[in-house]
Amino acid sequence: MTTMTATKLRSNIFEVLNNTAKYNDMVNVTTKEGSVVIMSEADYRGLMETVYLYSQPGVVDKILKANAEPIDEGVNADEVDW
């Protein structure tokens, strides 16, 4: 994560925003009132999806259980009747 002052952000805002969008680099902007984080929309959407999934009862347990299963015990995509 890159950290900069609001003054530095102001002088480089287009470069910072483009790099954040292109490289998913989060930027911590410090101000007199506190700090603000700038992140790409893709990172934001991923974070919101994670928060949503963790808020659903039982989902975390199902994910952990599936993660613990050996890959060879799964079903191949060509075996599924879509």
Side-chain angles (χ1 to χ4, degrees):
M1 180 181 298
T2 303
T3 300
M4 65 180 60
T5 63
T7 302
K8 185 173 180 182
L9 172 66
R10 191 175 319 127
S11 66
N12 299 306
I13 191 159
F14 292 113
E15 179 184 358
V16 170
L17 294 177
N18 287 335
N19 286 339
T20 300
K22 187 174 182 178
Y23 301 113
N24 294 332
D25 181 30
M26 293 185 196
V27 181
N28 181 12
V29 182
T30 58
T31 72
K32 293 177 184 175
E33 298 297 323
S35 295
V36 175
V37 175
I38 300 173
M39 65 173 52
S40 70
E41 181 179 7
D43 281 346
Y44 173 76
R45 289 181 181 273
L47 179 62
M48 291 295 101
E49 182 176 0
T50 300
V51 168
Y52 172 77
L53 289 174
Y54 272 74
S55 72
Q56 301 304 304
V59 170
V60 173
D61 293 333
K62 290 178 183 177
I63 292 171
L64 293 174
K65 181 181 175 186
N67 192 41
E69 292 179 6
I71 293 174
D72 60 343
E73 289 185 18
V75 176
N76 293 325
D78 55 346
E79 296 174 3
V80 176
D81 183 21
W82 297 97

